[in-house]
Amino acid sequence: MSLSSVSASASSSSHPLSSYGWDEGWDAEFAPYTEQGLLPGRVVRVDRGQCDVVTTDGLVRADTAFVTPHDPLRVICTGDWAAVDRDGDPRFVRTYLPRRTAFVRSTSSSRSEGQILAANVDHAIIAVSLAVELDLGRIERFLALAWESGAQPLVVLTKADLVPDVTGLSYLVQDVETTAPGVQVLPVSSASGEGVDVLTAVLSGGTSVLLGASGAGKSTLANALLGEDVMDVQATRDVDGKGRHTTTTRNLLALPGGGVLIDTPGLRGVGLWDAESGVGQVFSEIEELAEECRFHDCAHESEPGCAVLAAIDDGSLPERRLESYRKLLRENQRIVAKTDARLRADILRDWKQKGAEGRAAMQAKRGRMR
């Protein structure tokens, strides 16, 4: 390593924002804005057209009027690195640096818009409560969005103390591991402290976003990682283990052991948003099997020589996995088609072609029957 790179590394590590994820890359990206007299900072909270930004001058409140485009995916969000006025009343965020990663989901609106939940994330922690029956399909949805974002997923099974039987807990972990190939699955109990130290070590090197349904124990887990009661916690309903939204905004918090954590509100809907590659990553075993199918465009339904169907027949691939794979691919295609006119045209042309082929086959069959 050259003397100049050593100097740059030392400068980056001693930067006042290094504990919030500032590094040499961000330093180089921000250089033009430094020349303009702007201040670097990381967005820790966004609400009502304003945001809280932690800067070298401390925490400042800034207006986002200059970075509020019509595209909802380009609005400023928690985790962004912003260029802020050095002074003024009010201060303004003038722009933000290009995102390395972005966690995006589809909104529940009929317009099928995307919603960005967090930016510049290294780890996507998917919190799943063991107080209720595992919903493997929902876990697969979260994983697809996590992989698509560019972050490394991690499934945390919260409230592990509610499953005192070690063998039973190991079976639950195994079920999730089968659902999440290539992803670490960690049982954690905020009450007993089980697994918290391991999770702390994993998250110490980067930015993590905490995701999950209401009642999954995210705020309790955040408090355990922070070592103090920073996030409000509400009890879940005994009847179904569901909870109310304790966290109402996305908050970025520095962890005492290193790294930063973005806590998010509980997500009722987990809609995909252009996540085809993420779906492929979640179901990597199916895509690997598909490469062995006789036909390259095999739909894995009734085609001869289908390696996927053969795996279902011999029990090596659960049928539930294939059904979930198909469902998520169809959903993702519908979402993309609503925003991509060319894809809509391709799908419509494909439907017309299949309809014509079906009608031709039916006419040929009728001709043979005469």
Side-chain angles (χ1 to χ4, degrees):
M1 183 181 291
S2 68
L3 182 61
S4 60
S5 61
V6 171
S7 177
S9 177
S11 175
S12 175
S13 62
S14 61
H15 194 278
L17 295 174
S18 60
S19 61
Y20 283 89
W22 187 265
D23 59 27
E24 293 176 47
W26 294 124
D27 197 58
E29 288 268 10
F30 200 83
Y33 304 110
T34 300
E35 295 175 0
Q36 296 174 28
L38 297 175
L39 196 65
R42 193 157 197 194
V43 179
V44 299
R45 177 187 172 105
V46 179
D47 63 284
R48 299 177 183 177
Q50 293 188 312
C51 62
D52 293 333
V53 186
V54 60
T55 72
T56 50
D57 287 352
L59 189 66
V60 302
R61 186 75 167 166
D63 195 294
T64 64
F66 287 99
V67 283
T68 309
H70 295 298
D71 183 353
L73 296 181
R74 300 185 65 186
V75 300
I76 198 161
C77 75
T78 304
D80 274 325
W81 284 101
V84 186
D85 292 333
R86 286 189 175 273
D87 49 37
D89 186 18
R91 292 192 185 190
F92 287 93
V93 173
R94 296 296 171 174
T95 188
Y96 59 84
L97 299 183
R99 294 159 177 159
R100 293 178 181 174
T101 63
F103 195 97
V104 180
R105 69 161 178 172
S106 173
T107 65
S108 58
S109 71
S110 59
R111 292 177 295 177
S112 299
E113 294 179 337
Q115 178 190 25
I116 183 164
L117 299 180
N120 302 312
V121 172
D122 302 296
H123 306 283
I125 312 166
I126 301 165
V128 179
S129 173
L130 291 178
V132 294
E133 184 177 354
L134 289 176
D135 186 341
L136 299 179
R138 189 178 182 86
I139 295 173
E140 287 163 344
R141 284 174 171 275
F142 272 115
L143 287 169
L145 292 176
W147 281 122
E148 191 68 33
S149 75
Q152 171 66 46
L154 168 66
V155 178
V156 172
L157 302 179
T158 64
K159 308 180 184 182
D161 54 291
L162 299 182
V163 188
D165 177 50
V166 176
T167 302
L169 180 59
S170 67
Y171 283 138
L172 291 172
V173 171
Q174 186 175 355
D175 286 344
V176 178
E177 287 176 338
T178 302
T179 301
V183 176
Q184 183 178 3
V185 179
L186 181 65
V188 170
S189 169
S190 300
S192 68
E194 176 188 355
V196 174
D197 55 341
V198 177
L199 183 58
T200 298
V202 172
L203 306 185
S204 62
T207 298
S208 305
V209 61
L210 187 52
L211 306 153
S214 297
K218 298 189 305 302
S219 295
T220 303
L221 179 59
N223 287 336
L225 293 169
L226 291 163
E228 56 181 319
D229 292 339
V230 174
M231 308 305 296
D232 292 333
V233 176
Q234 295 178 357
T236 57
R237 299 195 300 249
D238 292 335
V239 64
D240 57 10
K242 294 182 179 179
R244 293 170 289 173
H245 289 309
T246 300
T247 303
T248 57
T249 59
R250 289 174 283 279
N251 303 280
L252 186 145
L253 306 158
L255 296 172
V260 293
L261 178 71
I262 299 175
D263 191 18
T264 65
L267 300 176
R268 291 191 179 92
V270 193
L272 300 185
W273 180 260
D274 196 5
E276 183 177 356
S277 63
V279 173
Q281 189 90 25
V282 177
F283 298 93
S284 57
E285 82 277 31
I286 295 179
E287 301 219 330
E288 289 173 5
L289 285 168
E291 294 178 0
E292 302 175 14
C293 291
R294 181 183 301 178
F295 304 108
H296 74 277
D297 59 348
C298 183
H300 321 308
E301 292 177 349
S302 58
E303 297 87 346
C306 176
V308 175
L309 295 180
I312 288 179
D313 289 340
D314 66 25
S316 60
L317 176 67
E319 189 170 358
R320 188 205 69 80
R321 287 280 286 171
L322 180 57
E323 291 175 355
S324 184
Y325 175 64
R326 288 170 173 161
K327 179 180 180 181
L328 293 184
L329 282 181
R330 286 195 301 268
E331 177 184 326
N332 188 71
Q333 188 180 53
R334 287 196 300 269
I335 290 294
V336 174
K338 288 179 180 179
T339 58
D340 190 323
R342 180 179 298 177
L343 181 58
R344 284 200 301 272
D346 289 343
I347 292 173
L348 181 59
R349 185 169 54 252
D350 185 53
W351 285 347
K352 288 181 177 180
Q353 181 179 344
K354 288 182 178 179
E357 291 172 352
R359 287 191 296 272
M362 183 61 68
Q363 290 174 358
K365 182 177 180 182
R366 286 172 179 170
R368 289 193 299 271
M369 293 174 64
R370 292 175 180 172

